[in-house]
Amino acid sequence: MTFSEHLSKLRAEKKLTQKGVATEVGISWRAYQNYERGVQEPTLSTLIALADFYQISLDELVCREQK
C-alpha cells in the first residue's frame, strides 16, 4: 500500500472529510487532497501532525515495515 492510499484509508475509517482532517492538522484542504492523490508529499512537520492526529507512529503512517 502506498502512502497516499494509506492516508485515504485512515481518513475513510474515521468517516472524516478531507477538509475536516486538513483543518485539524492545520494545512489547506488542497494540500491534503494532493497527499491523498499522490501528487505532493507532506513536509516532516505535516507528517508528524498527521501521525499525531491518527494516533499512529510515523513508520506506520508512511507504510514503513520493520526488517
Side-chain angles (χ1 to χ4, degrees), residues 2-40:
T2 66
F3 168 71
S4 59
E5 292 169 337
H6 190 227
L7 196 57
S8 180
K9 179 180 174 226
L10 288 168
R11 181 180 55 79
E13 286 173 353
K14 292 192 178 269
K15 297 180 169 78
L16 299 169
T17 64
Q18 290 178 337
K19 283 186 180 184
V21 175
T23 299
E24 289 295 320
V25 175
I27 59 175
S28 72
W29 161 73
R30 181 64 70 188
Y32 188 85
Q33 184 181 54
N34 285 336
Y35 302 153
E36 282 196 7
R37 288 181 174 176
V39 174
Q40 183 179 354

